[in-house]
Amino acid sequence: MAQMHQVKGTCVKVEYLVLGPIENNVYVISDGQATIVVDPSCEPDVITEALGGREVDAIVLTHCHWDHVGAAAELRKRTGAAVIASQADGKVIAGTRGGDTGSRDFDPCPVDVFVGDGDVAKIGNMAWKVIATPGHTPGGICLFLDPEFGSNSQGAPVLVAGDTLFAGSIGRTDFPGGSMQDMKHSLKRLAALPDETVVLPGHNQMTRIGDERRRVFARFA
């Protein structure tokens, strides 16, 4: 069984698996009332086992690349969870519109809830604010959770960042549909978040918004 890691100090319980050939972070986030899976890359059996019988209330897909959605269709089938994605990337995920999937194909996954910039995705007691962050893909999204809507009000805010912001780096913009101009605008929006916000990136280690002010925002935003 793949090792389940835990992120400390956050306002909700955040666990993650590292799966697939390019080591994607697959997040399992729970407030005690509801559980979400973010960007199920692959290996649905491993994800299901790691859930340990927990009901999944939602599957959040930050963008349409194969390494973030490869197990989404199977996980939706097994759990009955609603799949949440943006309108632009969601149509690519569902297979109803062509678009760049990041060099590999995947099983199309129906999207149950389309979200846009400024929307709030209410899952359990969690109220995730949707931030449109195009740049890596046209319909990339990040989701922000204020401690007010978490299970631990003393914990840090959380940003589900997909492939927009990494520790010391940003997502590639050289794929079809990518845009450095859009990416810079998206990063400016993320730079407005509190310094203590824990960033959950699609790959590599966790970081905080404050840690990226010199490393990323000063350079790109």
Side-chain angles (χ1 to χ4, degrees):
M1 178 179 173
Q3 183 181 359
M4 184 78 102
H5 308 275
Q6 186 159 347
V7 181
K8 297 180 180 179
T10 49
C11 64
V12 282
K13 185 177 182 180
V14 179
E15 300 169 284
Y16 67 100
L17 298 160
V18 181
L19 299 177
I22 51 178
E23 299 186 330
N24 285 74
N25 295 329
V26 178
Y27 294 99
V28 177
I29 303 174
S30 177
D31 67 347
Q33 300 296 318
T35 298
I36 67 176
V37 175
V38 178
D39 289 353
S41 171
C42 58
E43 301 189 62
D45 289 343
V46 174
I47 298 172
T48 301
E49 185 177 358
L51 285 165
R54 283 178 286 181
E55 181 177 344
V56 179
D57 298 274
I59 299 167
V60 174
L61 305 177
T62 62
H63 63 289
C64 62
H65 284 165
W66 66 272
D67 60 314
H68 290 256
V69 306
E74 179 62 25
L75 200 61
R76 177 182 182 271
K77 179 180 176 182
R78 293 184 184 190
T79 65
V83 172
I84 300 172
S86 72
Q87 190 82 20
D89 278 21
K91 290 182 177 180
V92 179
I93 293 165
T96 59
R97 189 180 74 184
D100 179 61
T101 59
S103 79
R104 295 192 191 182
D105 294 329
F106 53 81
D107 291 335
C109 178
V111 175
D112 303 289
V113 181
F114 289 105
V115 293
D117 188 56
D119 288 346
V120 174
K122 187 76 184 299
I123 308 163
N125 292 323
M126 298 176 283
W128 293 89
K129 183 178 179 180
V130 178
I131 306 171
T133 51
H136 184 61
T137 64
I141 56 172
C142 294
L143 291 93
F144 176 77
L145 185 68
D146 187 279
E148 177 185 355
F149 303 106
S151 51
N152 173 22
S153 61
Q154 303 304 309
V158 172
L159 179 74
V160 170
D163 281 1
T164 298
L165 177 63
F166 300 119
S169 185
I170 63 172
R172 290 174 57 177
T173 60
D174 59 341
F175 290 111
S179 166
M180 179 55 77
Q181 183 176 354
D182 287 347
M183 177 64 81
K184 288 181 177 180
H185 178 72
S186 295
L187 292 169
K188 285 181 180 179
R189 302 191 67 197
L190 298 185
L193 298 175
D195 279 355
E196 64 271 21
T197 302
V198 173
V199 178
L200 309 180
H203 305 267
N204 304 322
Q205 69 266 33
M206 310 302 115
T207 186
R208 292 180 184 265
I209 289 292
D211 294 332
E212 301 311 321
R213 295 211 179 277
R214 282 187 177 181
R215 297 194 297 192
V216 168
F217 299 137
R219 181 179 176 190
F220 295 104

